[in-house]
């Protein structure tokens, strides 16, 4: 059995539309250079995405604190990660890089604060 | 020929089967036509008969569903029983006319209320006016329009001082070009055409103005035109300069009238729609609204586009409003130096459907092109399409060929409340003796407004209203302070008192946080109401920088979550929802 | 008297300020917002810094690198500062600023404008219809969602397949709108492939190419839009109109430099970039007035925008030192066949090794040859693997190539 998937190569501005056949072996079609083939294989085996979002922050200039996953999480986990952020609240001040959620959605990746936020009326 | 014969002649000539009744010089039409254009056309023909005082056009047209019942459906709101108060006068409509009358009446010892269905004043026809205070040259000699226009224009100077609203008598140029009488060119061969346009036609125009009571009209020829306005098309032949033409911000003016009337104890009921009247022996005793009941001595129908609906509601149907849309283009302030007068190219004969309109400066330094004139079926049809934008660009770039016509920052449209007689209808209602119609006020309604208010009060006196001067009347109104107009020292002083004067939230128009707060204190509850009072959001970027910053101030001052801040109406909440459905 | 006033505390302004300060000049930064970082503070997605730092940072993280640097220097930062006027005097400029602290006069020998760009609104692209609540630019929505946690609506339509539109689409999808639909007039998304993939394709967000919004419907609140198909010239195809119900419309239809203020000072504006005409050190046509970042032209990567800030430091240095190796007449660099924009537009100084030239192609082309042409002769060529109008390209041009020329054209062969 093999899965089929279409992805856009991001290695150059051309953006080749790659067709991936994912079975025992990965077959990449539609690429116009080696970079595309390489990228297609990676997308086929373990596509990863950094997830950006925000959480509620109390006592700061803005009501939301931007956060992201420290590194890529498996693509199929993205929505789960977002779900886990629902209802998370932090209190100012907050330091840049602070861990907001550990091991989010069992990905062994942490959610971190993208910036610091001071206390403000 | 008497009126019925003249009407009969027109209906006989029509391809449709139209019946009519004439009562007290008002023509009531019935029948069926195929298109809306035909509906308008026949109404206008009959309205054009000399002596006709109103046309009630109950002809149906094919695509028209029963329009009256649709209107009624829209008014399916329930009236509230609650007693709002007892008034000598109830004014219906808070446009420039209603508000001007309110202020005029506040000079007397009268209890006055004004009911407006929208959340702010000036939201109907007034809002989309181009701000030109016409001199009064256009209306025909025997019309009410002519008299009130000339008088109203003359009143603007003093009133603008009292109300602290900018008004500029910039003057207008009526331009005569080779295109002016293209249709008649064949009758004026060779150099005769040019001679006529240079030496004869301007004289006729000037004479007409003088007959209408205007003074100081000048005729400009050739080079003289460019000295007044350098950007005008090279082939302009002559121009007629009218010095009394002015410009004003129509909603700023209306808001000033509102504020001053309110200060002099007129009760304003906003968000209050009139739904029915309670009559006794032919007189209106109570006005039912969706907010409650207003007991009244006299009622003024200044309901603009809906004045025919109000007349019908009162049982005195005597005219029909046929909405006429006008589209306008507003240009970047940076082009301020390109236009100094109100400009229009004279066209004879004037185009039947696109008459009017021109190029005007505004008091804020923008330039405005338009409006167009298009008969539309719906009174709320204010959409603007690309074709209409191009139409305006094309039409006026022939006058100002070097003007960068693509540098407009906004387009908008409004709908004029035109009657088929095409004159103002200001008179006591035929069948309800305590109702005064101040209706069908289309152009030059803005210029006439102060005189209309004055005239309305005269009519009320004739209708039996006891007018005694209120000694406590205070006609002075102070406009909002504007950071953009303050001297350096003044601004320093203000910031020392309150730092929010130094927090500029709209950078295009230079509007401070303090001004936003003051507008809210002056009854503005929505973004657009604040915009009209402060000009925030009216600049080049069209709100893209200041929207959220101002919404944040509104949210704080009115203590409401950001996602409930409104653009204008309660139904026009900006945003919807919190991320991931979280608690705000 | 300051040596340099930098107007704008976004990435380009910050980078310019610290680079100039490093050369020992007295610099001040003026910023209209109440914090530094500019638009990056609302760009919470990653992907910034891949060129400069070889790292994929989020907007706030990228901004922070520059904020920290400025904070460590002794460059004063004036927040919530509105520049009311700028007057050119004989040998300096006089700025009048308004802040919650008061009204101040600042004297400076030179000015670097780093005020960025703004988004095009519905009026600039002549979308017809009504003017109800619910029509926003993508940047406004980005700010709304990421700083305030508020959604613009439950079922928005996004028009424009540029980067901001793509990024906003992903935020809206993940943060909980009920449905989402994107349309754009191009044949394919005009944003970076990376964003098209990770924001739209990853989540199967519905989209339609060669489509735009003809009219907005709804009197008080957006009730829908009239979509229409367009041809290759983006002309609407009559008869293809279709009503789509939605409660908000988000516009990602392009950015334009905020060049009004600099134009008021007398700087020449490039009709194509809409930003000021600049020389190789980002000096405008007004002596002592410089311009960097997205004010010069719209950059696809903030990394590239920041490069201009590093270069401007050299230019300011030369200006303040009064180094006079200017050419009598600057050499013009102009876009030729199949090129939309070129910056810098002028080569002013004789000295220097090479010039970093950015150009935006007017065509999509594989294995393209980009030529520098003078008086009909090709004087240098560059090979580019793939050109697309949506991707800004960079070439390095040796300075001596310009010697003895009046005008050099860049074109695609």
């Amino acid at each position: 059995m093999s899965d089929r998937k279409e992805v856009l190569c991001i290695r150059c501005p051309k953006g080749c539309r790659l067709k991936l056949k994912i079975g025992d072996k990965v077959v990449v079609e539609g690429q116009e250079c080696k970079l595309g083939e390489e990228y297609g294989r990676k997308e086929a085996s373990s596509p990863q995405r950094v997830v950006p979002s925000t959480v509620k922050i109390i006592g700061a200039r803005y009501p939301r604190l931007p956060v992201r996953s420290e590194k890529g999480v498996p693509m199929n986990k993205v929505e789960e990660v977002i779900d886990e952020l629902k209802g998370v609240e932090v209190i100012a001040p907050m330091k840049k890089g602070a861990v907001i959620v550990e091991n989010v959605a069992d990905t062994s990746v942490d959610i971190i604060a993208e910036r610091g936020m001071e206390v403000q009326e | 020929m008497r009126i019925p014969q003249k009407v009969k002649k027109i209906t006989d000539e029509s391809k449709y089967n139209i019946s009519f009744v004439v009562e007290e010089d008002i023509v009531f039409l019935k029948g069926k036509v195929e298109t809306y254009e035909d509906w308008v056309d026949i109404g206008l023909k009959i309205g054009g008969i000399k002596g006709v005082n109103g046309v009630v056009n109950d002809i149906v047209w094919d695509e028209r569903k029963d329009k009256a019942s649709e209107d009624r459906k829209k008014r399916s709101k329930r009236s509230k029983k609650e007693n709002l108060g007892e008034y000598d006068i109830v004014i219906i409509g808070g446009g420039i006319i209603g508000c001007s009358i309110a202020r005029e009446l506040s000079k007397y010892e009268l209890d006055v209320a004004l009911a407006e269905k929208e959340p702010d004043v000036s939201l109907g026809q007034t809002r989309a006016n181009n701000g030109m205070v016409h001199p009064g040259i256009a209306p025909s000699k025997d019309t009410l329009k002519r008299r009130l226009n000339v008088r109203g224009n003359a009143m603007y100077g003093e009133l603008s001082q009292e109300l602290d609203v900018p008004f500029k008598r910039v003057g207008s140029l009526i331009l005569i070009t080779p295109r002016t009488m293209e249709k008649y060119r064949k009758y004026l061969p060779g150099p005769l055409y040019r001679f006529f346009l240079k030496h004869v036609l301007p004289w006729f125009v000037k004479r007409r103005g003088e007959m209408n009571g205007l003074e100081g009209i000048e005729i400009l020829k050739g080079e003289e035109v460019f000295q007044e306005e350098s950007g005008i098309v090279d082939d302009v032949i002559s121009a007629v300069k009218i010095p009394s033409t002015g410009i004003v911000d129509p909603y700023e003016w209306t808001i000033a009238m509102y504020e001053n009337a309110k200060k002099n104890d007129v009760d304003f009921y906003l968000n209050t729609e009139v739904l029915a009247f309670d009559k006794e022996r032919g007189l209106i005793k109570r006005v039912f609204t969706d907010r409650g009941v207003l007991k009244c001595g006299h009622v003024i129908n200044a309901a603009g586009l809906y004045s025919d609906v109000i007349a019908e509601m009162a049982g005195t149907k005597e005219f029909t409003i046929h909405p006429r849309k006008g589209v306008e283009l507003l240009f970047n302030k940076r082009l301020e130096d390109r236009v100094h007068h109100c400009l229009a190219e004279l066209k004879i004969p004037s185009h039947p459907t696109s008459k009017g309109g021109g190029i005007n400066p505004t008091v804020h330094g923008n330039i405005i092109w338009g409006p167009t004139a298009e008969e539309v079926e719906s009174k709320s049809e204010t959409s603007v399409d690309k074709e209409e934008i191009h139409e305006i660009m094309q039409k006026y770039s022939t006058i100002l060929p070097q003007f960068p016509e693509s540098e407009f920052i906004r387009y908008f449209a409004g709908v004029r409340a035109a009657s088929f007689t095409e004159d103002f209808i200001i008179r006591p209602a035929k069948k309800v003796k305590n109702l005064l119609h101040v209706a069908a006020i289309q152009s030059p309604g803005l210029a006439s407004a102060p005189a209309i208010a004055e005239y309305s009060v005269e009519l009320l006196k004739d209708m039996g209203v006891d007018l005694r001067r209120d000694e406590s009347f205070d006609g002075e109104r102070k406009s909002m302070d504007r950071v953009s107009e303050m001297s350096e020292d003044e601004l320093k002083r203000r910031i020392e008192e309150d730092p929010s004067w130094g927090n500029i939230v709209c950078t295009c128009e230079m509007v401070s946080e303090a001004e936003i707060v003051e507008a809210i204190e002056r009854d503005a509850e929505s973004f657009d109401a604040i915009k009209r009072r402060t000009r925030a959001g009216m600049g080049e970027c069209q709100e893209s920088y200041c929207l959220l910053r101002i919404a944040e101030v509104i949210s704080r001052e009115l203590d409401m979550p950001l996602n409930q801040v409104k653009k204008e109406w309660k139904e026009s909440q900006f945003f919807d929802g919190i991320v991931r459905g979280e608690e705000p | 008297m300051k040596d340099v006033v930098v107007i704008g505390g976004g990435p380009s302004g910050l980078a310019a300020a610290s680079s100039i300060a490093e050369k020992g000049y007295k610099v001040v930064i003026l910023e209209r917002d109440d914090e530094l970082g500019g638009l990056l503070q609302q760009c919470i997605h990653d992907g910034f810094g891949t060129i400069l730092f070889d790292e994929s940072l989020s907007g706030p993280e990228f901004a922070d690198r520059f904020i920290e640097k400025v904070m460590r220097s002794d460059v004063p930062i004036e927040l919530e500062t509105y520049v009311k006027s700028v007057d050119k005097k004989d040998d300096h400029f006089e700025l009048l600023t308004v802040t919650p602290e008061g009204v101040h006069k600042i004297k400076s020998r030179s000015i670097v404008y780093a005020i960025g760009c703004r988004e095009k609104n519905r009026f600039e692209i002549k979308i017809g219809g009504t003017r109800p609540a619910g029509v926003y630019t993508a940047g406004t929505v980005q700010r709304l969602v990421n700083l305030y946690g508020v959604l613009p609506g439950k079922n928005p339509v996004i028009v424009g397949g540029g980067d901001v539109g793509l990024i906003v689409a992903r935020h809206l999808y993940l943060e909980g709108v009920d449905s989402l639909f994107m349309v754009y007039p191009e044949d394919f998304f005009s944003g970076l492939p990376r964003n098209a993939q990770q924001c739209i394709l990853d989540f199967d967000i519905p989209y339609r190419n060669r489509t735009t919004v003809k009219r907005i419907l709804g009197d008080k609140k957006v009730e829908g839009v009239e979509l229409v198909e367009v041809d290759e010239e983006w002309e609407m195809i009559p008869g293809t109109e279709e009503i789509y119900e939605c409660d908000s419309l988000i516009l990602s239809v392009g950015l334009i430099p905020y060049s009004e203020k600099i134009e008021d000072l007398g700087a020449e504006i490039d009709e194509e970039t809409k930003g000021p005409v600049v020389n190789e050190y980002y000096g405008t046509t007004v002596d002592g007035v410089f311009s960097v970042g997205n004010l010069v032209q719209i950059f696809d990567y903030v990394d590239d925008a920041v490069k201009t800030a590093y270069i401007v430091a050299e230019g300011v240095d030369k200006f303040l030192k009064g180094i006079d190796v200017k050419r009598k007449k600057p050499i013009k660099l102009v876009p030729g066949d199949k090129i939309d924009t070129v910056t810098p537009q002028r080569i002013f100084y004789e000295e220097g090794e090479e010039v970093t030239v950015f150009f935006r192609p007017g065509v999509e082309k594989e294995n393209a040859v980009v030529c520098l042409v003078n008086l009909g002769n090709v004087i240098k060529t560059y090979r580019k693997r793939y050109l697309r109008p949506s991707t800004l390209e960079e070439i390095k041009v040796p300075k001596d190539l310009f010697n003895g020329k009046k005008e050099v054209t860049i074109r695609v062969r």
Side-chain angles (χ1 to χ4, degrees):
Chain A
M1 223 192 87
S2 70
D3 257 355
R4 283 168 181 279
K5 194 168 150 188
E6 269 197 51
V7 298
L8 207 57
C9 178
I10 66 169
R11 299 298 292 268
C12 91
K14 181 166 190 194
C16 290
R17 280 171 243 192
L18 310 178
K19 289 191 169 63
L20 311 180
K21 277 186 215 158
I22 309 161
D24 298 338
K25 240 174 53 186
V26 174
V27 181
V28 183
E29 285 171 7
Q31 76 278 23
E32 302 210 350
C33 75
K34 268 190 186 161
L35 294 172
E37 165 129 20
E38 191 187 301
Y39 178 77
R41 288 187 184 285
K42 194 164 160 260
E43 275 295 291
S45 54
S46 57
Q48 299 220 320
R49 300 288 183 262
V50 172
V51 185
S53 187
T54 64
V55 296
K56 190 171 180 176
I57 181 164
I58 295 167
R61 164 71 179 90
Y62 293 104
R64 306 296 296 192
L65 174 74
V67 298
R68 67 172 172 96
S69 58
E70 199 187 351
K71 50 189 191 220
V73 301
M75 210 184 94
N76 57 13
K77 284 270 195 178
V78 170
E79 287 174 54
E80 228 175 289
V81 169
I82 292 282
D83 277 346
E84 217 175 291
L85 291 177
K86 185 169 174 170
V88 173
E89 256 182 46
V90 297
I91 296 169
M94 190 49 65
K95 273 214 167 83
K96 180 189 162 197
V99 174
I100 307 296
V101 178
E102 274 180 32
N103 183 23
V104 68
D106 272 333
T107 54
S108 65
V109 175
D110 297 340
I111 293 290
I112 57 165
E114 290 187 5
R115 58 172 289 184
M117 273 198 183
E118 301 293 321
V119 177
Q120 201 179 320
E121 284 306 296
Chain B
M1 258 195 300
R2 290 172 51 243
I3 291 172
Q5 284 152 308
K6 289 182 182 167
V7 175
K8 185 160 186 310
K9 192 161 174 268
I10 292 168
T11 54
D12 284 351
E13 279 166 10
S14 158
K15 62 175 179 174
Y16 302 109
N17 190 10
I18 307 288
S19 66
F20 69 90
V21 178
V22 181
E23 233 176 77
E24 291 185 71
D25 298 339
I26 298 196
V27 184
F28 297 81
L29 298 171
K30 276 210 165 69
K32 196 176 172 189
V33 296
E34 276 162 19
T35 65
Y36 184 71
E37 288 71 41
D38 290 341
W39 181 83
V40 174
D41 188 55
I42 197 149
L44 284 174
K45 273 188 186 141
I46 288 169
I49 297 172
K50 212 174 170 189
V52 167
N53 244 331
V55 177
V56 175
N57 190 346
D58 280 337
I59 299 171
V60 291
W61 68 92
D62 256 9
E63 293 115 85
R64 181 199 209 191
K65 295 163 219 136
D66 184 357
K67 194 155 166 298
S69 83
E70 222 172 77
D71 274 353
R72 241 171 271 130
K73 215 180 289 165
K74 274 188 193 148
R75 297 196 310 268
S76 63
K77 291 176 191 164
R78 296 277 296 273
S79 59
K80 284 216 177 105
K81 295 260 151 49
E82 187 187 332
N83 185 12
L84 295 176
E86 198 170 334
Y87 295 94
D88 297 312
I89 316 273
V90 171
I91 302 166
I92 303 170
I96 189 169
I97 300 302
C99 291
S100 299
I101 295 173
R103 180 187 183 258
E104 194 59 32
L105 284 173
S106 71
K107 294 176 180 170
Y108 301 92
E109 285 194 0
L110 293 168
D111 289 328
V112 181
L114 184 147
E116 166 57 52
K117 67 179 165 56
E118 304 292 350
D120 194 5
V121 295
S122 83
L123 286 195
Q125 198 179 193
T126 306
R127 171 158 62 170
N129 190 293
N130 71 355
M132 179 174 174
V133 178
H134 292 262
I137 194 169
S140 315
K141 205 164 168 295
D142 303 332
T143 57
L144 195 51
K145 271 185 179 179
R146 186 206 58 82
R147 183 163 68 82
L148 295 173
N149 183 348
V150 175
R151 165 87 185 134
N153 175 299
M155 293 168 77
Y156 261 88
E158 204 183 315
L159 269 173
S160 81
Q161 299 282 317
E162 282 177 41
L163 298 170
D164 197 14
V165 179
F167 164 73
K168 290 182 190 162
R169 243 180 238 293
V170 291
S172 56
L173 299 182
I174 298 173
L175 305 169
I176 296 170
T177 72
R179 292 164 293 284
T180 292
M181 292 181 66
E182 216 139 41
K183 275 206 166 162
Y184 297 112
R185 198 172 193 149
K186 54 187 173 213
Y187 305 115
L188 296 161
L192 209 55
Y193 183 63
R194 230 188 130 73
F195 180 86
F196 185 82
L197 295 182
K198 191 164 183 176
H199 300 290
V200 184
L201 187 58
W203 184 84
F204 270 116
V205 176
K206 181 172 186 240
R207 185 83 193 104
R208 181 189 173 114
E210 284 163 354
M211 301 267 283
N212 274 4
L214 308 191
E215 287 167 11
I217 301 177
E218 280 174 66
I219 293 173
L220 309 175
K221 285 172 191 163
E223 233 359 82
E224 294 167 348
V225 183
F226 302 115
Q227 277 165 18
E228 291 285 334
E229 201 75 75
S230 59
I232 285 178
V233 63
D234 287 347
D235 66 359
V236 65
I237 294 169
S238 58
V240 179
K241 185 183 171 188
I242 306 172
S244 58
T245 308
I247 51 173
V248 73
D249 179 333
Y251 38 79
E252 198 176 342
W253 186 265
T254 306
I255 289 165
M257 288 282 179
Y258 156 75
E259 288 182 355
N260 191 237
K262 199 173 159 183
K263 180 175 165 188
N264 289 294
D265 298 327
V266 172
D267 287 345
F268 282 80
Y269 294 91
L270 300 176
N271 281 312
T272 305
E273 186 173 348
V274 172
L275 300 172
F277 296 108
D278 182 24
K279 290 198 294 185
E280 277 172 32
R281 275 170 303 214
L283 297 179
I284 299 172
K285 291 290 173 197
R286 292 187 299 169
V287 180
F288 292 107
T289 77
D290 55 355
R291 294 257 315 274
V293 182
L294 297 156
K295 287 189 186 160
C296 60
H298 283 76
V299 177
I300 296 175
N301 173 11
L305 281 159
Y306 300 90
S307 51
D308 55 348
V309 177
I310 294 292
E312 184 179 357
M313 201 186 281
T316 181
K317 220 169 149 176
E318 41 194 281
F319 54 89
T320 300
I321 297 293
H322 58 106
R324 188 186 287 143
K325 184 170 93 167
V327 178
E328 284 152 274
L329 287 188
L330 188 73
F331 288 90
N332 203 316
K333 276 184 169 180
R334 298 166 55 80
L335 302 168
E336 181 173 10
D337 287 341
R338 304 278 190 119
V339 178
H340 302 96
H341 305 82
C342 301
L343 305 173
E345 189 178 19
L346 184 62
K347 286 279 176 76
I348 298 171
S350 65
H351 194 278
T353 56
S354 66
K355 59 190 162 195
I359 292 174
N360 285 336
T362 72
V363 282
H364 306 294
N366 302 94
I367 307 295
I368 194 165
W369 287 17
T372 56
E374 187 201 348
E375 299 293 336
V376 289
E377 293 179 30
S378 162
K379 289 173 177 176
S380 58
E381 170 26 23
T382 56
S383 71
V384 176
D385 284 342
K386 213 172 175 174
E387 293 73 28
E388 294 171 305
I389 298 164
H390 289 155
E391 185 194 317
I392 297 178
M393 284 166 73
Q394 230 168 9
K395 179 171 175 187
Y396 296 113
S397 47
T398 55
I399 310 178
L400 289 180
Q402 261 112 58
F403 193 91
E405 78 263 18
S406 57
E407 285 186 33
F408 58 84
I409 56 171
R410 191 181 179 88
Y411 38 84
F412 57 92
V415 183
R416 305 172 182 89
S419 70
F420 287 111
T421 44
E422 297 282 344
D423 197 2
F424 301 155
I425 296 176
I426 307 178
R427 62 172 184 236
K430 303 272 178 190
K431 290 178 185 155
V432 182
K433 297 298 170 205
N434 67 341
L435 173 66
L436 176 66
H437 292 310
V438 188
I441 313 293
Q442 52 157 324
S443 176
L446 175 72
S448 312
I452 290 174
E454 202 182 54
Y455 179 52
S456 303
V457 173
E458 277 170 36
L459 290 176
L460 281 175
K461 193 177 170 193
D462 297 343
M463 289 162 76
V465 174
D466 185 14
L467 295 176
R468 265 169 304 154
R469 284 273 169 186
D470 180 348
E471 296 308 321
S472 68
F473 172 75
D474 177 3
E476 299 282 316
R477 173 255 181 196
K478 188 82 191 65
S479 91
M480 289 195 31
D481 294 322
R482 293 176 199 280
V483 164
S484 61
E485 290 165 7
M486 279 180 198
S487 71
E488 210 182 306
D489 289 338
E490 168 72 357
L491 183 53
K492 265 184 193 159
R493 198 178 56 73
R494 300 303 285 266
I495 295 173
E496 245 167 64
E497 283 168 16
D498 176 357
S500 68
W501 284 100
N503 181 21
I504 307 302
V505 289
C506 165
T507 53
C508 294
E509 293 285 325
M510 196 187 179
V511 181
S512 67
E513 183 187 340
E515 287 159 79
I516 307 298
V517 173
E518 190 183 335
I520 294 170
E521 281 163 7
R522 290 185 182 220
D523 305 334
E525 290 186 349
S526 66
F527 184 86
D528 281 1
I530 287 171
K531 194 173 166 178
R532 284 188 291 275
R533 284 158 178 82
T534 63
R535 296 194 53 73
M538 295 215 182
E540 194 200 8
C541 91
Q542 288 290 309
E543 306 170 7
S544 60
Y545 179 75
C546 65
L547 173 64
L548 281 177
R549 285 159 177 90
I550 291 170
E552 210 183 1
V553 179
I554 298 175
S555 152
R556 183 191 72 209
E557 292 295 312
L558 295 178
D559 196 22
M560 58 165 74
L562 189 70
N563 61 334
Q564 281 173 23
V565 173
K566 285 152 198 67
K567 178 175 161 66
E568 185 91 76
W569 300 274
K570 63 178 186 299
E571 302 88 350
S572 61
Q573 191 174 305
F574 274 119
F575 316 122
D576 191 3
I578 304 291
V579 291
R580 300 193 286 266
E582 290 182 18
E583 292 291 305
Chain C
M1 174 85 76
K2 296 281 177 191
D3 294 319
V4 189
V5 170
V6 175
I7 307 179
S12 303
L14 293 169
S18 41
S19 312
I20 295 166
E22 274 169 16
K23 294 186 185 292
Y25 292 111
K26 268 168 71 182
V27 187
V28 61
I29 300 177
L30 311 180
E31 164 58 44
R32 68 178 176 180
D33 209 344
D34 57 6
E35 63 178 359
L36 294 174
L39 285 181
L40 284 175
Q41 297 291 13
Q42 66 190 55
C43 300
I44 66 167
H45 56 285
D46 74 311
F48 301 94
T50 50
I51 303 172
L52 281 183
F53 305 119
D54 201 21
E55 263 184 88
S56 185
L57 304 169
S58 75
E61 287 164 347
F62 184 91
D64 195 52
R65 301 258 167 134
F66 296 91
I67 295 172
E68 267 192 7
K69 198 163 179 200
V70 167
M71 294 300 224
R72 281 199 305 269
S73 72
D74 54 2
V75 174
I77 297 156
E78 305 289 344
L79 296 175
E80 295 182 277
T81 298
Y82 174 80
V83 178
K84 188 173 184 217
S85 61
V86 179
D87 283 325
K88 191 169 170 22
K89 305 283 178 190
D90 279 347
D91 61 342
H92 71 279
F93 296 89
E94 217 169 84
L95 291 81
L96 190 69
T97 66
V98 178
T99 79
E101 271 81 55
V103 183
H104 307 280
K105 267 206 182 87
I106 302 174
K107 287 181 182 176
S108 177
R109 293 168 64 200
S110 64
I111 307 178
V112 175
Y113 277 88
I115 55 180
C117 57
R118 63 173 182 81
E119 297 177 276
K120 282 194 187 171
N121 59 54
R122 63 165 291 187
F123 299 104
E124 289 169 291
I125 59 161
K126 299 182 202 160
I127 297 186
T130 52
R131 294 163 300 287
V135 182
Y136 312 104
T137 57
T140 297
V141 172
Q142 199 177 39
R143 197 175 162 84
L144 178 74
V145 176
N146 296 343
L147 267 46
Y148 296 93
V150 171
L151 297 172
K154 296 275 194 260
N155 32 48
V157 164
I158 302 179
V159 59
D163 287 312
V164 196
L166 296 169
I167 299 279
V168 161
R170 172 173 58 184
H171 283 310
L172 292 174
Y173 173 82
L174 290 175
E175 305 294 3
V177 294
D178 295 343
S179 71
L180 186 60
F181 187 47
M182 175 177 274
V183 298
Y184 53 86
E186 294 91 349
D187 188 44
F188 197 64
F189 301 97
S190 56
L192 300 169
R194 180 198 148 86
N195 289 331
Q197 177 63 46
Q198 301 192 354
C199 299
I200 299 289
L201 305 177
D202 269 4
F203 304 108
D204 286 328
I205 293 171
Y207 63 90
R208 197 193 290 167
N209 67 345
R210 292 273 183 242
T211 302
T212 191
V213 172
K214 183 178 177 181
R215 314 177 80 233
I216 296 166
L217 310 171
D219 283 338
K220 297 181 174 176
K221 175 90 191 169
V222 172
E223 288 166 18
V225 287
E226 190 177 315
L227 301 175
V228 64
E229 288 175 25
V230 296
D231 62 19
E232 281 165 25
E233 306 293 315
W234 297 18
E235 290 296 326
M236 297 178 189
I237 302 171
T240 61
E241 292 86 355
E242 179 190 335
I243 306 281
Y244 185 90
E245 277 181 35
C246 60
D247 66 354
S248 43
L249 176 66
I250 300 166
L251 307 173
S252 173
V253 292
L255 305 167
I256 30 175
Y258 238 125
S259 45
E260 285 206 347
K261 308 265 178 195
I262 204 161
E263 193 178 357
D264 289 344
L265 266 177
E268 190 186 332
I269 302 298
D270 182 334
E271 279 303 308
E272 304 302 324
T273 59
K274 310 280 183 211
V277 167
V278 292
N279 63 38
E280 71 270 43
Y281 291 108
Y282 291 89
T284 69
T285 54
V286 178
D287 268 355
V289 177
F290 297 81
S291 160
V292 292
N294 275 345
L295 173 60
V296 176
Q297 66 167 339
I298 306 307
F299 288 91
D300 302 337
Y301 292 94
V302 63
D303 302 58
D304 284 339
V306 165
K307 280 183 197 164
T308 66
Y310 295 140
I311 300 170
V312 88
E314 303 298 320
V316 171
D317 187 38
K318 283 188 201 314
F319 172 78
L320 291 176
K321 284 195 179 126
I323 296 174
D324 193 20
V325 283
K326 287 174 203 162
R327 296 171 194 275
K328 282 195 198 80
K329 256 198 136 165
I331 295 152
K332 285 186 176 173
L333 202 52
V334 294
D337 197 23
K338 301 188 184 81
I339 300 278
D340 283 347
T341 67
V342 174
T343 54
Q345 297 91 338
R346 302 280 187 273
I347 307 300
F348 212 55
Y349 291 90
E350 281 178 10
E351 57 155 41
E353 294 285 293
E354 57 179 20
V355 181
T356 304
V357 173
F358 293 99
F359 68 89
R360 194 171 288 282
V363 286
E364 186 156 345
K365 198 166 176 5
E366 193 155 5
N367 295 323
V369 180
V370 178
C371 310
L372 298 186
V373 182
N374 174 249
L375 298 171
N377 303 316
V378 174
I379 51 175
K380 191 165 172 60
T381 59
Y382 297 83
R383 290 204 167 273
K384 288 283 171 184
R385 217 192 79 70
Y386 203 87
L387 294 180
R388 269 184 97 197
S390 55
T391 307
L392 189 73
E393 294 286 341
E394 179 184 330
I395 50 174
K396 305 269 189 202
V397 184
K399 203 108 193 216
D400 51 16
L401 208 68
F402 294 108
N403 287 338
K405 317 262 186 323
K406 279 186 178 160
E407 187 174 298
V408 172
T409 304
I410 303 187
R411 61 179 170 83
V412 177
R413 188 157 69 198

